Amino acid sequence: MRKYIYVLLSAILLFCSLTILVPEKAYACSCAEYPDPNKAIEEAEAVFAGEVLNIKEERKQKGIVGAIEYRDVNLFEVQETWKGINQSQVMVYDNGHDESCGVNFEENKSYLVYTYKNKEGDLYTSLCSRTAEISKAGEDLTVLGQGKPADKMLNLEGEMGRITNKDYDMEIFIGGIVVVLALAVFLFKRAKRKG
């Protein structure tokens, strides 16, 4: 019986070691070309000026064992729009200021935002776009001219409330270890009673 417990504990130790040795992703930001304002407007899905109301980190993972990635979700109150947006609030994603090409948005500040759609259909932006704080976007604002106000009132605060960066994998992993250890104790006590 002791042999089975050693094998079980060795398997748990091996599994824990493998999860520690999995390499992290490395990030680097390299923009091939910083577009001029006219080209940026043409290529963007949406262009608007807005104030950041809320920023949350979202955890994304494909399946249980897929790579874990984090991104920032930025809720904007749209102040003026030039292309692709006609609603009063919009959520824009970026890789997060700690990651590659993420934008360092700050709550209660206004920005000129160029967004693009990713393969999931989400609006995102990056340092490689011309997204900038309003006070630093003079050239773009001159090219854009007068925008228009959003005509569709929308409140996305509730949707922002559902965004989470919670890592349930660790809870599942720890729960699995507890179950395996409980089973090992049960089998050990059972074997001890018989012997």
Side-chain angles (χ1 to χ4, degrees):
M1 183 62 185
R2 219 174 243 171
K3 180 174 130 183
Y4 293 114
I5 292 175
Y6 289 135
V7 169
L8 182 63
L9 291 175
S10 297
I12 291 171
L13 183 62
L14 178 65
F15 181 73
C16 291
S17 298
L18 290 176
T19 59
I20 292 170
L21 297 176
V22 174
E24 289 287 321
K25 282 187 172 184
Y27 296 96
C29 184
S30 175
C31 303
E33 172 185 334
Y34 194 67
D36 66 72
N38 289 313
K39 186 175 181 183
I41 294 163
E42 181 183 316
E43 293 176 352
E45 182 73 28
V47 181
F48 68 92
E51 179 184 347
V52 178
L53 300 178
N54 193 354
I55 301 170
K56 289 186 87 174
E57 185 180 60
E58 180 180 52
R59 179 180 184 274
K60 289 190 68 168
Q61 181 178 16
K62 293 198 188 268
I64 293 177
V65 294
I68 298 171
E69 295 181 7
Y70 293 91
R71 65 182 185 172
D72 283 350
V73 185
N74 307 282
L75 178 62
F76 284 89
E77 182 73 36
V78 177
Q79 299 162 330
E80 202 171 2
T81 180
W82 288 270
K83 180 180 179 183
I85 296 286
N86 68 348
Q87 58 201 43
S88 61
Q89 289 188 355
V90 64
M91 293 189 331
V92 175
Y93 297 84
D94 74 86
N95 289 339
H97 64 277
D98 293 335
E99 300 295 339
S100 171
C101 295
V103 180
N104 190 14
F105 288 117
E106 294 180 44
E107 290 181 5
N108 304 315
K109 285 194 175 182
S110 293
Y111 296 85
L112 177 63
V113 183
Y114 290 82
T115 66
Y116 307 87
K117 278 196 177 173
N118 64 12
K119 60 186 173 193
E120 290 88 23
D122 298 325
L123 292 175
Y124 73 93
T125 191
S126 75
L127 288 176
C128 295
S129 72
R130 292 190 65 88
T131 295
E133 198 171 335
I134 284 288
S135 63
K136 298 175 183 170
E139 178 185 2
D140 294 70
L141 292 170
T142 300
V143 171
L144 286 165
Q146 183 66 38
K148 60 182 180 176
D151 56 10
K152 182 179 177 187
M153 298 308 290
L154 193 61
N155 186 341
L156 297 175
E157 285 289 341
E159 195 169 333
M160 284 292 285
R162 289 188 286 277
I163 292 171
T164 181
N165 65 357
K166 185 78 171 139
D167 182 3
Y168 294 105
D169 292 351
M170 187 55 71
E171 292 168 356
I172 292 169
F173 176 71
I174 291 170
I177 289 176
V178 168
V179 168
V180 168
L181 289 176
L183 181 62
V185 168
F186 172 75
L187 291 174
F188 180 74
K189 284 184 177 184
R190 184 174 169 198
K192 198 172 184 179
R193 271 188 255 149
K194 284 185 179 180

